Amino acid sequence: MANPAIDIKLHLIENYKFEIDFGEFGQMVTDEHEPVGHGEGPGPSQLLATAVANCLAASLMFAIRKFKGDPGQVWARVSGDPERVDGRWRITNLAVELHLGQPAASIDKLERVLEQFEDFCVVTQSVRSGIDVAVTVLDSDGQVLNT
């Protein structure tokens, strides 16, 4: 199954604030943080981090469900610190925590899932050549399932 073509429109509202039009999925406002913008919406760096975490969570859920498993109420946290590289701000690393809503023992073929789910995340694999992405998966008991 191929991913649909990407067609998103951005319209400048003022200063560094944009309305992003996702077509049938609606609009949202983004803005750069102070001192450049006014922080009236998430910034591009936050959207990038969100895209990585969202894609990884969806890929993990897909891999579990492929084996008829129930991931439970999945949630994720992503963090990263921009760094100066050659005098310019860059996102060099992101840390993603994926939390399953079930104990590990209740998910069939979990070891196999953990070995392969990251490879199917389009966004993460697309940015990994420039951004180190560390992924940690935890079950509902807080047990780290991958290292």
Side-chain angles (χ1 to χ4, degrees):
M1 178 174 84
N3 283 322
I6 299 167
D7 185 18
I8 300 167
K9 295 179 180 76
L10 288 80
H11 303 276
L12 179 64
I13 298 171
E14 63 182 358
N15 201 18
Y16 294 92
K17 184 165 65 171
F18 286 85
E19 179 182 77
I20 301 177
D21 183 353
F22 292 98
E24 66 183 280
F25 300 109
Q27 295 83 33
M28 72 177 294
V29 172
T30 62
D31 195 4
E32 290 287 346
H33 298 289
E34 292 185 1
V36 176
H38 297 291
E40 294 181 30
S45 298
Q46 291 170 305
L47 294 175
L48 175 68
T50 299
V52 168
N54 189 165
C55 188
L56 283 165
S59 183
L60 179 60
M61 289 188 309
F62 180 85
I64 291 170
R65 290 174 177 159
K66 178 179 171 185
F67 296 112
K68 309 295 186 236
D70 176 10
Q73 188 63 37
V74 173
W75 64 278
R77 172 175 284 135
V78 60
S79 60
D81 292 313
E83 297 179 27
R84 291 246 184 219
V85 176
D86 298 327
R88 306 282 188 236
W89 286 109
R90 298 292 182 255
I91 299 167
T92 59
N93 63 77
L94 292 171
V96 180
E97 286 184 3
L98 301 171
H99 296 260
L100 296 173
Q102 303 283 1
S106 71
I107 301 174
D108 194 32
K109 297 186 176 48
L110 186 57
E111 186 174 315
R112 186 168 171 197
V113 165
L114 294 172
E115 289 174 0
Q116 62 183 347
F117 83 95
E118 289 183 49
D119 291 337
F120 295 97
C121 176
V122 173
V123 176
T124 301
Q125 296 308 328
S126 296
V127 302
R128 269 203 163 132
S129 64
I131 300 173
D132 178 40
V133 180
V135 181
T136 305
V137 179
L138 300 97
D139 73 359
S140 62
D141 297 327
Q143 176 185 348
V144 175
L145 306 176
N146 65 335
T147 54

